[in-house]
Amino acid sequence: MTCLYIVPSYYVRNFRRSLSQEGVPAQVTTIPGLVAQILKEGLVSYKEDEIQEELAIWQSVERHATVLNFFGPIAHYPGFKQELKWLFRQLDLGEDIFGQMPQEGQIELFLLHASYQDVLNDKGVLSAAGQIRRSLQLVKETRVLPEIRTIRLQGLAELSPLEQELIDHLAKGRVLETSWPDVPASSIEVRKATDPVDEVEMIGQALRMDIEAGVPLDKLGVAFPSLGQYLPIVISVFAKLKIPWRAPEVSLRNTPLGKTLLTTLLAELQGWHKHHLELLTAPGWGFPYGLTAEEHRSLRLAPPLKGLPAWRNYLGSQSGWNEVLGILTEATSELVSRPLAAYGLWLEQMLDELQPERWVMPQDNLENWAELVKAWDGMQTIARSIRDCHWTISPEQFIWLFESLLDSYKIQGRRVFAEQVQMMSIEQLGAYTYDHLYVGGLVEGQFPQRKSAHWLTKSRPNLAASQLYERLTHGAKNLHLFYPEVDREGKLNLPATILPSEKGVSPVLLPEADHQPSLFLGRGFLKDDQLLKQLQERVLHEGLTVSQLNSYANCPYQFFCSYVLKLTPDEEASLELDAREHGNFIHHALQAFWEEYLEGPLPLVDDAQGKIEGLLRSEYAKEGVSPSSTRIRTMRNFIRHDLSLVQRGFRPHYLERRFQGLAIDTPKGPVALRGRIDRIDGNADGAYVLYDYKTGSAPQINSMMEGKDVQIAAYLLAARDILPGGLNVGAAYYVIGDRSRKGIFHADYAKTLDVTRGKNVLDEESFQDQNEKFAEVLQRHIWRILQGEFPIEPVSPRICSFCAFQGICRKEVGS
């Protein structure tokens, strides 16, 4: 009886060796290997070509670009083609991908998919999914692999519907087993490194000790959440420690040839800056030019010029540079909109000038030469493929396509017969049990990785953290987990929240229960009862400022860092004024201006503009500097607009008005809010509106009305105590730059206030309802603070962009 083991591709060698040593009569293969074997038995001939598959996607979009309505606005973006690549694969594998896609989008997707299949059929190409479907037909028609009695799925992730159907039909009349390694008593160790380099060195030294202790190399594994980020460090450190390891495949884009050609294209579009020439002439990286040390030095000392003509004037007198710039000028002279086939010819001509021997001769370094030959062959394959495509394409579109083709073409590492340490990503773990598994890079944001949802289906290709951690613990008898305190730029990391805290893990590497607040906050909840009590007492006794509460509304973890941990970001020493200082000068100038005109006649426009300019200059002069002409012009325009607004009936009555004691009730007791309102304008009938000057941009109206920005909400509620006899009719940010006012206004006063009617202009009932909603929002935020809830949940990527603590939370900006 023969058993067929179906395993992930990166474990085939391990299983074959292990089963051979045990004398078990078995075959070991992968899903693609099984499919290939079935097609071979069925005498099916076919062609695999990922380059043609990529081109088929672009060609299908090009064919139907003029009739796309749903996808039309995004069809020209390269990201759309990458999305289609994933969608087509999901469709071909039988996945349901239409959960959140409108009917119009489904129709256009089927149209593009049918066109894509037509192109592949014309080229005689059978995709991976097409091969599975064809093998499924053979399995249904005849009994294949008759010698197999048992099929065992070992450590495979969830199969696609098409793959599962193939296995189910193949298993008819056979025993089907599913197995995952199970190590009931894993030894788990967590270790902290100072930075990624130190982390890899710690892993390398531990591996070296295991190897010298006689542990078989195939029983040693290394994994990272983002293997690509660690590869440059691993290559250097493992070479120094003489650790034999199996390098993963690399894309053609990451070879010297790929980088050189892609940089040449990008440089032409971006205008040939200094860094382009530095990259293209770097020894061992760019074009194989033989520049002298003096010629390299000339570039390093060169000013930041732009364009090849400027560089030729500056460097062309040197013979080496004259040759380089001549070749680059000729190479980029034909980068214009033209048929794609012409770009294929251009690429072939470039390759004629870039033979592998230009970089290194085989007798000097056979291994490097062999890698260059693989890259050169891959580039020739791309050139030949696009020679058959005749639609017109712009230089920008060609670069996008070229990048995608380079990423699609993979180059396998050098094959060796000796055993090596396995290197992989964490998502590839689970099928094989190592004696020792070393896993690095376990920090928040990387484990598990935050991945963007797909554009069209809104689905996220994420494995849950618990699933990933289960793969770790079931992947080795001895598990060694590592995380670096800081990244390569020196920014502080947080260890992944999934890291174990159970008995047996070194306590010095985990948060100590000394009742001191820590950066290590797990999922964002303060669970130490003593610390939580101290926080509650502080908030109830001292109250909060509006600025502090707004910080919590923007991002609870930002508030945790500044208020609970009392962290103060280091200020960079600079001879330039920062945005805060500029804002203070403008606030002071406006305050001084209106203090003279709270009563009495208003100044003429020319006089007001001269006065505000003088006040602004006076504020800047205190620091020994002068305001820019742009800032002066902005303030003159602002005061002209402000005077015209005041003349409509609402005039400044209070400036820099402080308030305190705004009580927000909570189950723990009232919490007092305090703050300062820049300006309160009132009319003769007792109605008033609140303004907060903004020298930058203001939050969006939706954010204010939903309570994501609580400053306006707090001002509206505080106004009841400041002016109990008046009628509040609005509160807004008054933006200095564009003179707009973004806030909430009463509909009865919209015309007098010169406010355009919109969803933020409310009738009496809605205005009062909004005030009540604001009170509930403030109450909810304060209660969450008292409960110790501080998750990393910024309301928008914009908050992260200007956060002083983004180096701590490690949440990527814009994710």
Side-chain angles (χ1 to χ4, degrees):
M1 178 185 296
T2 301
C3 179
L4 176 66
Y5 283 79
I6 304 178
V7 304
S9 60
Y10 29 87
Y11 292 119
V12 170
R13 187 172 182 174
N14 302 68
F15 273 98
R16 283 177 178 167
R17 180 185 177 89
S18 177
L19 293 172
S20 175
Q21 290 174 344
E22 295 172 6
V24 177
Q27 295 182 25
V28 181
T29 189
T30 63
I31 292 287
L34 172 65
V35 169
Q37 190 172 351
I38 295 172
L39 294 177
K40 181 179 179 181
E41 285 192 11
L43 302 179
V44 176
S45 61
Y46 60 95
K47 181 172 72 173
E48 290 180 340
D49 194 330
E50 291 193 20
I51 298 301
Q52 290 292 353
E53 290 182 43
E54 193 80 29
L55 289 170
I57 294 171
W58 284 70
Q59 190 168 344
S60 67
V61 175
E62 180 65 25
R63 281 181 176 178
H64 302 286
T66 57
V67 298
L68 296 179
N69 293 316
F70 182 80
F71 293 137
I74 61 174
H76 63 286
Y77 288 111
F80 175 67
K81 276 85 169 182
Q82 292 304 307
E83 185 79 358
L84 280 184
K85 183 177 182 178
W86 178 82
L87 286 170
F88 287 172
R89 176 172 171 78
Q90 299 304 102
L91 266 178
D92 290 339
L93 290 173
E95 300 283 1
D96 178 14
I97 60 173
F98 294 119
Q100 298 187 38
M101 188 180 296
Q103 183 68 27
E104 186 180 4
Q106 296 182 32
I107 294 172
E108 291 187 2
L109 180 60
F110 279 122
L111 173 68
L112 293 170
H113 183 254
S115 179
Y116 162 77
Q117 292 291 0
D118 289 342
V119 174
L120 291 185
N121 291 336
D122 290 342
K123 301 290 184 181
V125 174
L126 199 59
S127 67
Q131 295 168 35
I132 297 175
R133 195 170 297 280
R134 184 69 183 93
S135 65
L136 176 60
Q137 292 174 354
L138 291 174
V139 170
K140 290 179 178 179
E141 295 168 0
T142 182
R143 185 173 177 82
V144 297
L145 307 178
E147 73 280 10
I148 300 300
R149 295 290 180 268
T150 302
I151 300 174
R152 176 171 294 174
L153 307 182
Q154 184 78 27
L156 288 178
E158 183 178 354
L159 299 178
S160 69
L162 184 60
E163 291 170 332
Q164 189 64 58
E165 186 178 1
L166 172 64
I167 296 298
D168 290 342
H169 278 279
L170 186 64
K172 288 182 178 179
R174 300 180 170 107
V175 177
L176 178 63
E177 300 174 350
T178 300
S179 176
W180 283 83
D182 187 13
V183 184
S186 294
S187 169
I188 303 175
E189 173 193 33
V190 179
R191 298 186 64 186
K192 176 173 62 179
T194 56
D195 56 40
V197 175
D198 180 52
E199 181 183 24
V200 175
E201 287 180 344
M202 291 169 66
I203 292 173
Q205 289 164 359
L207 284 170
R208 171 49 57 192
M209 292 176 63
D210 290 336
I211 294 170
E212 293 175 356
V215 180
L217 290 175
D218 64 331
K219 290 294 184 178
L220 297 174
V222 179
F224 295 95
S226 299
L227 182 55
Q229 295 179 8
Y230 274 84
L231 273 180
I233 307 174
V234 171
I235 291 171
S236 172
V237 172
F238 280 28
K240 180 177 65 177
L241 294 174
K242 294 182 172 56
I243 294 174
W245 63 290
R246 195 182 313 168
E249 62 184 15
V250 298
S251 70
L252 185 52
R253 182 176 181 172
N254 287 324
T255 64
L257 183 60
K259 291 177 181 178
T260 297
L261 290 173
L262 189 55
T263 301
T264 302
L265 293 168
L266 290 171
E268 179 63 19
L269 285 188
Q270 296 169 1
W272 287 105
H273 295 278
K274 184 176 181 178
H275 71 274
H276 294 127
L277 292 179
E278 289 175 331
L279 288 173
L280 288 173
T281 57
W285 192 97
F287 280 110
Y289 299 131
L291 294 178
T292 66
E294 182 60 31
E295 287 168 337
H296 280 293
R297 183 173 181 272
S298 296
L299 179 60
R300 288 198 303 272
L301 299 178
L305 303 177
K306 183 178 180 180
L308 284 179
W311 286 111
R312 183 181 288 277
N313 289 335
Y314 185 83
L315 298 170
S317 60
Q318 296 174 302
S319 60
W321 277 114
N322 186 54
E323 179 188 2
V324 168
L325 295 170
I327 294 173
L328 292 176
T329 301
E330 183 179 354
T332 57
S333 61
E334 299 180 13
L335 295 183
V336 295
S337 293
R338 53 181 178 162
L340 182 55
Y343 277 105
L345 178 61
W346 170 85
L347 186 55
E348 288 182 339
Q349 293 170 345
M350 292 293 295
L351 291 173
D352 287 341
E353 298 295 326
L354 295 172
Q355 297 288 338
E357 290 77 16
R358 291 288 301 272
W359 272 280
V360 63
M361 297 298 292
Q363 60 268 28
D364 296 330
N365 191 322
L366 183 59
E367 186 173 333
N368 283 357
W369 176 82
E371 294 300 316
L372 287 167
V373 169
K374 291 180 186 178
W376 195 90
D377 287 344
M379 203 68 73
Q380 277 285 6
T381 301
I382 291 176
R384 286 195 298 268
S385 298
I386 63 179
R387 282 286 302 272
D388 295 332
C389 301
H390 300 283
W391 73 85
T392 300
I393 191 169
S394 69
E396 293 87 350
Q397 290 174 319
F398 175 67
I399 290 175
W400 294 339
L401 172 59
F402 192 49
E403 286 178 325
S404 184
L405 295 175
L406 294 180
D407 284 332
S408 296
Y409 194 96
K410 304 298 183 183
I411 296 178
Q412 297 293 332
R414 182 169 62 98
R415 284 192 171 188
V416 296
F417 292 102
E419 290 299 327
Q420 297 172 309
V421 174
Q422 182 92 5
M423 182 80 62
M424 72 211 83
S425 70
I426 287 178
E427 292 185 358
Q428 295 172 325
L429 291 170
Y432 185 76
T433 302
Y434 294 95
D435 284 354
H436 291 271
L437 176 61
Y438 297 88
V439 185
L442 299 178
V443 298
E444 277 297 289
Q446 294 295 323
F447 182 75
Q449 285 186 295
R450 296 187 179 95
K451 296 182 180 179
S452 301
H454 288 285
W455 284 12
L456 307 177
T457 64
K458 308 305 179 187
S459 62
R460 292 180 182 271
N462 285 15
L463 275 173
S466 57
Q467 290 178 284
L468 288 174
Y469 186 68
E470 184 177 0
R471 291 192 181 185
L472 291 183
T473 57
H474 287 70
K477 299 174 183 176
N478 299 285
L479 182 60
H480 311 271
L481 308 178
F482 296 79
Y483 70 91
E485 285 189 293
V486 299
D487 64 13
R488 297 195 70 178
E489 296 178 356
K491 295 179 180 178
L492 191 63
N493 284 322
L494 285 177
T497 56
I498 201 68
L499 285 180
S501 57
E502 61 266 18
K503 184 179 179 181
V505 178
S506 178
V508 299
L509 304 175
L510 299 176
E512 299 177 3
D514 58 357
H515 303 295
Q516 294 294 323
S518 166
L519 285 171
F520 189 96
L521 199 59
R523 299 186 182 277
F525 297 91
L526 193 60
K527 297 181 179 179
D528 187 303
D529 291 338
Q530 186 170 330
L531 284 176
L532 190 58
K533 181 180 179 182
Q534 293 173 1
L535 173 63
Q536 293 170 349
E537 290 175 349
R538 179 183 171 194
V539 172
L540 292 169
H541 176 69
E542 299 177 1
L544 295 167
T545 67
V546 172
S547 178
Q548 288 168 340
L549 190 58
N550 206 40
S551 172
Y552 184 87
N554 287 332
C555 177
Y557 190 76
Q558 183 186 75
F559 174 87
F560 176 76
C561 289
S562 61
Y563 184 83
V564 181
L565 297 182
K566 301 180 181 179
L567 298 179
T568 304
D570 292 334
E571 295 186 7
E572 295 184 7
S574 174
L575 297 178
E576 302 293 331
L577 298 173
D578 59 26
R580 180 182 57 82
E581 291 170 313
H582 287 297
N584 287 339
F585 294 156
I586 290 173
H587 275 69
H588 294 160
L590 287 170
Q591 180 183 358
F593 177 90
W594 280 114
E595 280 177 345
E596 291 193 26
Y597 299 107
L598 293 176
E599 297 178 348
L602 294 171
L604 299 174
V605 171
D606 289 344
D607 293 339
Q609 288 181 318
K611 187 172 186 63
I612 196 66
E613 179 178 339
L615 290 169
L616 189 65
R617 290 184 182 276
S618 176
E619 289 295 329
Y620 276 85
K622 295 175 183 178
E623 294 294 327
V625 294
S626 299
S628 67
S629 58
T630 300
R631 192 159 276 112
I632 290 173
R633 184 166 57 253
T634 298
M635 289 299 289
R636 290 176 69 93
N637 290 337
F638 178 82
I639 208 65
R640 171 193 285 272
H641 171 83
D642 204 18
L643 278 175
S644 67
L645 184 66
V646 167
Q647 289 168 352
R648 299 176 70 91
F650 278 81
R651 180 170 182 162
H653 283 184
Y654 302 97
L655 305 172
E656 302 292 323
R657 185 63 182 264
R658 296 183 180 275
F659 66 89
Q660 56 185 5
L662 172 59
I664 306 297
D665 291 329
T666 75
K668 295 287 184 181
V671 174
L673 279 185
R674 59 188 184 277
R676 182 182 62 192
I677 302 173
D678 288 340
R679 174 171 146 184
I680 303 177
D681 289 12
N683 71 358
D685 298 330
Y688 62 90
V689 62
L690 315 169
Y691 291 127
D692 186 75
Y693 294 129
K694 273 286 185 183
T695 52
S697 59
Q700 297 298 314
I701 296 296
N702 285 341
S703 293
M704 298 182 206
M705 298 188 72
E706 294 170 7
K708 294 179 181 178
D709 181 277
V710 302
Q711 195 162 331
I712 293 300
Y715 288 171
L716 281 170
L717 299 179
R720 299 173 179 176
D721 296 332
I722 298 173
L723 299 170
L727 174 65
N728 177 230
V729 296
Y733 289 109
Y734 202 164
V735 183
I736 304 296
D738 61 8
R739 303 174 294 284
S740 63
R741 286 163 296 146
K742 295 184 178 179
I744 313 297
F745 297 96
H746 197 296
D748 293 347
Y749 292 85
K751 184 176 181 180
T752 306
L753 290 168
D754 194 24
V755 175
T756 303
R757 290 184 178 272
K759 58 186 175 183
N760 61 317
V761 178
L762 310 173
D763 59 28
E764 174 63 26
E765 182 179 356
S766 299
F767 193 84
Q768 298 306 322
D769 289 344
Q770 186 67 49
N771 273 266
E772 292 177 8
K773 179 180 178 180
F774 282 155
E776 293 172 359
V777 167
L778 298 182
Q779 188 177 49
R780 183 169 65 249
H781 284 318
I782 292 175
W783 179 238
R784 289 187 68 194
I785 291 173
L786 293 175
Q787 291 293 99
E789 297 181 21
F790 306 110
I792 302 175
E793 294 177 353
V795 294
S796 76
R798 180 177 173 274
I799 299 300
C800 299
S801 300
F802 300 99
C803 179
F805 307 110
Q806 59 178 293
I808 297 175
C809 82
R810 306 296 295 118
K811 185 176 181 67
E812 293 298 326
V813 176
S815 63

